[in-house]
Amino acid sequence: MVKKAIITGITGQDGSYLAELLLSKGYEVHGIIRRASTFNTGRINHIFQDPHDKDVKLFLHFGDLSSSEITNLIRDIQPDELYHLGAQSHVGVSFEIPIYTGNVTGLGVARILEAIRRNGPIKFYQASSSEMFGNSSPPQNEKTAFMPRSPYACAKVYAFWMTVNYRKGYGMFASNGILFNHESPRRGKTFVTRKVTRAIANIIAGKQKTLYLGNLEAKRDWGYAPEYVEAMWKIMQLKNPEDLVLGTGRTRSVKDFVERAFIYAGLVSDKHIKIDEKYFRPTETEQLIADSRKARKVIGWQPKIKFHDLIKIMLDADMRKIGLTPFGDGDKILKREFPNRWWKVDE
């Protein structure tokens, strides 16, 4: 029998990779998207089929996490699994719209859990965040205390504990994946890693001269998004629900990411980087690093893409999008990490 899955946030980075994965495993996938004047389906257009095709396996539905519409969708679709990835997910933006962030990122989870309680049994996955740890001493694992440092992180803490409470109170299969930073060419353009790789492509193409950034000293545990999406699916295949921390176990500063990306492109970062106070947050999470020993034991978690590989993947993609191609040999000193990568504009 074909499994059905609902993905909230299907048009985002993780949602698009998860949709691909589930479809490859034979799922019937239902994505929830917000109604808007324009479609924001660029990340999934390549897998979306004609709704009149009798063999279609991907369906999109309008829904809003700030309302109770999700209850009707869950009742009508009756999925086997629900992956909740939808949120106002930008930490910086959450300081500007804290109430909206709390309503969507926090209360949105309560609406879904209550809908599942009334229409279950349905397996539920909550996309929790390493931002919940805030300034807790690293490395952080499942027993580390939460010390949120942004409205986004506070909303995620609420969502985490609601998931735990519904699991314990109603016997639901409800799991939290506490994911540390994970990036890809599909990362949103306003997130710092993608902001950097896009800027480098624009600088080489002559479309931009300066990249404005905020706190370069913040340290994060960065991984590759498709690997984290596969871990989400593995969590949902467990016999019993679990809360698991997922990360690489290594931390790098924003400055590290910037410098390595510029070196890879054959540029000097100091010539193009300027610090702008407006990109600093009122409160900052200084260092996040995952202790994923439990995940290694429970689901065999073992990320393969390294930090320099991630930079290459993202920068290569943004270079190609703007019409640049690689040629020649890179800096000999860095050849082991960044081989054969210089760029020119396609003629």
Side-chain angles (χ1 to χ4, degrees):
M1 187 174 179
V2 175
K3 278 188 174 182
K4 292 183 182 180
I6 289 178
I7 303 174
T8 69
I10 193 171
T11 59
Q13 169 188 258
D14 292 4
S16 63
Y17 283 123
L18 180 60
E20 288 176 343
L21 178 67
L22 296 183
L23 288 170
S24 74
K25 294 182 179 297
Y27 280 67
E28 177 180 302
V29 177
H30 296 259
I32 310 300
I33 62 174
R34 286 175 291 180
R35 188 180 295 276
S37 58
T38 57
F39 284 107
N40 181 29
T41 57
R43 295 183 180 94
I44 58 172
N45 282 340
H46 65 291
I47 55 175
F48 187 67
Q49 301 178 47
D50 184 342
H52 301 293
D53 185 340
K54 66 179 180 179
D55 296 322
V56 69
K57 291 289 185 69
L58 175 61
F59 301 87
L60 298 182
H61 309 267
F62 290 116
D64 191 331
L65 295 173
S66 64
S67 73
S68 58
E69 293 172 326
I70 194 73
T71 300
N72 294 332
L73 288 171
I74 291 173
R75 181 194 62 211
D76 294 342
I77 296 169
Q78 286 294 305
D80 299 284
E81 301 169 0
L82 194 156
Y83 296 82
H84 180 47
L85 313 182
Q88 189 303 97
S89 59
H90 199 288
V91 177
V93 171
S94 75
F95 286 100
E96 301 175 20
I97 49 173
I99 296 173
Y100 176 79
T101 299
N103 188 16
V104 172
T105 306
L107 287 174
V109 175
R111 294 183 182 101
I112 292 175
L113 287 167
E114 185 62 13
I116 291 175
R117 185 181 72 83
R118 297 183 180 189
N119 294 280
I122 299 167
K123 287 187 171 184
F124 176 73
Y125 171 86
Q126 163 60 14
S128 289
S129 169
S130 59
E131 288 288 332
M132 300 187 303
F133 294 122
N135 277 359
S136 292
S137 298
Q140 294 96 358
N141 59 34
E142 295 81 5
K143 295 181 180 180
T144 302
F146 297 142
M147 297 179 63
R149 300 275 287 173
S150 68
Y152 167 78
C154 291
K156 282 291 188 179
V157 169
Y158 172 86
F160 174 92
W161 285 118
M162 286 297 284
T163 300
V164 172
N165 273 267
Y166 269 74
R167 178 173 72 222
K168 293 183 176 180
Y170 302 109
M172 292 168 50
F173 188 106
S175 293
N176 286 285
I178 307 176
L179 274 58
F180 282 61
N181 290 62
H182 47 288
E183 319 294 317
S184 77
R186 298 182 191 176
R187 190 58 147 153
K189 295 177 181 179
T190 59
F191 288 85
V192 67
T193 52
R194 187 78 196 290
K195 185 177 178 180
V196 170
T197 58
R198 288 182 68 243
I200 290 173
N202 284 329
I203 289 168
I204 291 178
K207 297 182 178 182
Q208 182 175 340
K209 292 183 178 180
T210 304
L211 170 61
Y212 294 92
L213 295 171
N215 181 15
L216 297 184
E217 302 308 317
K219 295 180 179 180
R220 297 293 183 266
D221 183 329
W222 275 304
Y224 184 46
E227 295 184 325
Y228 289 65
V229 163
E230 185 175 4
M232 296 177 192
W233 177 79
K234 288 183 177 180
I235 289 173
M236 292 285 262
Q237 309 317 305
L238 294 172
K239 183 178 180 180
N240 298 308
E242 295 278 0
D243 300 325
L244 297 178
V245 163
L246 299 170
T248 69
R250 296 182 179 180
T251 187
R252 304 277 189 171
S253 68
V254 174
K255 185 177 182 180
D256 288 336
F257 189 98
V258 170
E259 290 183 344
R260 283 173 175 252
F262 271 83
I263 289 171
Y264 177 55
L267 298 174
V268 178
S269 60
D270 290 347
K271 293 182 178 181
H272 301 281
I273 300 296
K274 288 189 177 181
I275 304 301
D276 190 330
E277 292 294 328
K278 76 177 182 180
Y279 294 114
F280 281 77
R281 301 167 184 169
T283 52
E284 180 64 86
T285 297
E286 297 299 337
Q287 184 173 16
L288 295 173
I289 179 170
D291 173 1
S292 299
R293 285 176 292 179
K294 181 179 176 182
R296 288 201 296 269
K297 180 179 179 180
V298 174
I299 62 170
W301 170 248
Q302 190 62 52
K304 297 177 182 178
I305 299 298
K306 307 300 182 184
F307 184 65
H308 60 271
D309 295 321
L310 177 63
I311 292 173
K312 289 163 62 176
I313 290 168
M314 294 183 68
L315 193 48
D316 284 1
D318 276 325
M319 291 289 192
R320 292 190 177 99
K321 283 181 181 178
I322 207 167
L324 302 171
T325 55
F327 76 103
D329 292 326
D331 189 313
K332 292 181 180 179
I333 297 175
L334 294 164
K335 193 169 183 180
R336 286 186 302 171
E337 290 191 348
F338 299 130
N340 305 319
R341 286 295 189 271
W342 291 75
W343 304 90
K344 66 179 179 180
V345 178
D346 282 338
E347 297 178 356

